[in-house]
Amino acid sequence: MSAMDKPENPAVADSAFLKACRREPVPHTPVWFMRQAGRSLPEYLKVREGIPMLESCMRPELVTEITLQPVRRHGVDAAIYFSDIVVPLKAIGLDLDIKPGVGPVVEQPIRSRADLERLRDLTPEDVSYVTEAIRMLTAELGSTPLIGFAGAPFTLASYLVEGGPSKNHEHTKALMYGDPQLWADLLDRLADITAAFLKVQIEAGASAVQLFDSWVGALAPADYRRSVLPASRKVFEAVAPYDVPRIHFGVGTGELLGLMGEAGADVVGVDWRVPLDEAVRRVGPGKALQGNLDPAVLFSTREAVESKAREVLDAASGLEGHIFNLGHGVLPTTDPGALTALTEYVHEQTAR
Ligand code: CP3
């Protein structure tokens, strides 16, 4: 048996989530929520008390507990591994931190050829706690699939070049337009690190992987094609031999959906700005779609949530594979009860 041919739990392989990723008939539309782990759950806040975010990502027992919490509470069809997109960058020694209410902050931004030297390869030993946590998790999850994830090269580059979260990505774009060769080399390095990080998660037992290119919607299609697509494609190609579904997601990507389809994922995540029946035309054939309820809708009445969720299901009714999700992550002050009710609603409406 080759390393890429691990024994698979048949109940996981037959789960609604993995069937939908493969565009096979499903017993009900599977549901999970980006950023379902962490955020507002009281049981999350309790176990995280006094433990900084990045440190909590390195404690396998804590990671296992936090990853399981939304599965227990909402009955979602997949778990997402509790970590952060900057964990592999921290693991290769970059001086960065996650500031509560702010996000990732990098002490010395990466802007020159010399800075690039600080991005060394990631080895499985750098993230042994990930392997350990995923082994513990898959034992606990039973028939529920685990989604591994990583940040996409553009979104990681944006944090590294800006030094922190950014609205306009001015330093990032300055580098991308001003020194295209350095930019290409930076994204290529990040693609290798990202691919290595996803491989660790798959080898340890993740059943699917999602590449988060959260901020790539800041780019026009021609720039995406020239300056981002080759690196994201490299990541998808690197993990293709494992034959686990690969999901590709970004925000504000209406104009990029076709190109994101070209990058090679099996499932494309769509934000709430493009209805799924239109998104499927843009993405092109042969791919499942994931999405796309506006996360802010969850602050409205139960009737409004159900009517907006119904709209998503109606737009998805002609798709070959649909995974119900939000159009972006759960917002921090979302009422957990609204997520449980929404999960039940989608299951009940789509039971076949
Ligand atoms: O989906 C999940 O629930 C799994 C865990 C997860 C986290 N971050 C935990 C986290 C995932 C998948 C992420 C991905 C992530 N991180 C993305 C892509 C998804 C997206 O929302 O677009 C991005 C852009 C980041 C970078 C990042 N890390 C941000 C913007 C923040 C939020 C800052 C804040 O406090 O609002 C973080 C920190 C972070 N990542 C927290 C959690 C639970 C909060 C940290 C804390 O509690 O101090």
Side-chain angles (χ1 to χ4, degrees):
M1 195 188 292
S2 81
M4 298 191 181
D5 213 10
K6 288 187 274 52
E8 199 174 11
N9 177 341
V12 174
D14 285 344
S15 63
F17 170 75
L18 288 178
K19 283 189 162 162
C21 290
R22 298 191 301 257
R23 294 177 294 121
E24 294 167 8
V26 285
H28 61 263
T29 298
V31 183
W32 72 280
F33 303 113
M34 292 184 281
R35 307 299 305 275
Q36 69 189 17
R39 294 300 199 194
S40 58
L41 293 186
E43 59 269 36
Y44 165 73
L45 298 174
K46 188 153 173 258
V47 294
R48 270 285 318 279
E49 228 168 83
I51 309 171
M53 174 64 191
L54 282 173
E55 198 190 316
S56 66
C57 295
M58 295 175 199
R59 297 193 187 183
E61 266 158 35
L62 190 56
V63 167
T64 301
E65 166 59 21
I66 296 171
T67 302
L68 290 170
Q69 286 175 346
V71 179
R72 276 188 212 123
R73 188 189 259 262
H74 308 307
V76 284
D77 294 272
I80 179 150
Y81 180 69
F82 180 78
S83 182
D84 192 77
I85 58 168
V86 297
V87 162
L89 303 176
K90 180 79 180 176
I92 59 166
L94 289 190
D95 190 3
L96 60 83
D97 199 6
I98 294 181
K99 299 234 156 85
V102 178
V105 177
V106 182
E107 199 56 46
Q108 292 174 283
I110 296 218
R111 294 183 188 162
S112 70
R113 177 71 48 193
D115 292 333
L116 209 57
E117 304 301 314
R118 302 192 341 250
L119 290 177
R120 67 161 173 85
D121 283 337
L122 178 97
T123 69
E125 294 71 43
D126 293 321
V127 285
S128 54
Y129 47 85
V130 173
T131 299
E132 199 185 324
I134 291 184
R135 288 201 180 129
M136 289 169 74
L137 258 168
T138 45
E140 298 263 339
L141 274 165
S143 61
T144 304
L146 176 69
I147 305 169
F149 74 90
F154 175 83
T155 291
L156 292 179
S158 153
Y159 284 109
L160 292 178
V161 176
E162 301 295 333
S166 167
K167 210 163 133 202
N168 299 315
H169 308 280
E170 45 272 75
H171 296 288
T172 312
K173 290 184 178 180
L175 178 62
M176 187 175 99
Y177 297 121
D179 193 342
Q181 190 57 55
L182 176 59
W183 172 260
D185 293 346
L186 169 62
L187 261 70
D188 192 66
R189 295 286 316 118
L190 291 170
D192 290 342
I193 293 163
T194 298
F197 189 55
L198 292 178
K199 283 180 190 175
V200 168
Q201 296 174 67
I202 299 168
E203 295 268 356
S207 299
V209 287
Q210 176 157 326
L211 195 64
F212 281 96
D213 213 348
S214 301
W215 312 137
V216 80
L219 297 182
D223 293 323
Y224 180 88
R225 181 186 286 287
R226 190 182 311 119
S227 307
V228 174
L229 187 111
S232 292
R233 179 181 280 148
K234 190 179 192 194
V235 176
F236 288 123
E237 280 176 1
V239 295
Y242 291 95
D243 215 22
V244 301
R246 299 158 299 166
I247 311 170
H248 196 179
F249 169 78
V251 183
T253 51
E255 301 303 324
L256 304 178
L257 288 172
L259 291 167
M260 288 175 72
E262 280 180 42
D266 308 290
V267 182
V268 175
V270 182
D271 83 2
W272 62 93
R273 295 171 180 90
V274 183
L276 293 177
D277 49 353
E278 170 58 22
V280 72
R281 279 191 285 276
R282 298 187 189 185
V283 168
K287 292 177 193 296
L289 294 188
Q290 177 172 281
N292 67 344
L293 185 75
D294 181 347
V297 165
L298 287 159
F299 291 79
S300 189
T301 60
R302 182 156 179 165
E303 292 69 32
V305 174
E306 292 187 353
S307 116
K308 295 300 285 177
R310 187 69 252 171
E311 277 178 27
V312 171
L313 294 173
D314 288 344
S317 62
L319 301 185
E320 255 188 61
H322 175 222
I323 297 134
F324 190 97
N325 206 313
L326 304 177
H328 195 185
V330 173
L331 295 164
T333 55
T334 304
D335 169 15
L339 290 169
T340 310
L342 174 58
T343 308
E344 283 166 5
Y345 177 78
V346 173
H347 283 165
E348 170 201 293
Q349 290 286 307
T350 59
R352 310 191 234 279

